[in-house]
Amino acid sequence: MKVKDTNCMAVLVNKENWLHKDYQAKDLVTVKVNFVSDVLEMSQKMRKEAAGALEKLFSAAKRKKMLLYAVSGYRSYERQRELFKQNKKKDGEAANRYSARAGQSEHQTGLAMDVTCEAVDFELCEDFAGTKEYEWLRENAHRFGFVIRYPREKEEVTGYRFEPWHLRYVGKKIAKELYENELTLEEYGNK
Ligand SMILES: [Zn+2]
């Protein structure tokens, strides 16, 4: 079962399943967590349920002395279009391995957040996977309803290279199932 209902927390958005240009994520709220500096106000938003879950996740991490920082949450279709255009200018078609075209980004759903930590200078980079903060996320994100959406060695399935920083809210039940079976959202329901 692939979830195509765009209001559902487990909605599948990828290179084959596009969001309409006019799709507007509902109930966006500002997430009350630490952000890196200079984050657009719009990018500090997520859908309400996801925002609450991310706040709980950040607090739990903090109790374990893991200080996470949010970088980028909600993006409009237009904003994604601009970002992809910039990335494509730089890297050509290869940009699509790390950057989504407009309508194909989970950030448009308001259910994704990119996160980082001080040890990697607050960058979104693969080195984040070597930090204790990432290690904690890998083992605990599902307890709050999140998955590391683009895992290592699943590039063929997801269409994107490993992104240790990209968290996607899907709800606790599905997050647990994906975590325990090492599945991506693409593979969910296909086993
Ligand atoms: Zn992301």
Side-chain angles (χ1 to χ4, degrees), residues 75 107 114 163 165-166:
R75 284 179 213 144
H107 287 276
D114 296 330
E163 290 195 359
W165 61 83
H166 180 105

Side-chain angles (χ1 to χ4, degrees), residues 72-73 75 105-107 112-114 124 150 163 165-167:
S72 185
R75 284 179 213 144
S105 172
E106 290 198 325
H107 287 276
M113 182 63 82
D114 296 330
L124 300 179
Y150 307 113
E163 290 195 359
W165 61 83
H166 180 105
L167 292 179

Side-chain angles (χ1 to χ4, degrees), residues 114-131:
D114 296 330
V115 304
T116 185
C117 68
E118 193 177 359
V120 290
D121 290 329
F122 309 104
E123 299 275 330
L124 300 179
C125 56
E126 206 172 317
D127 285 349
F128 179 58
T131 66

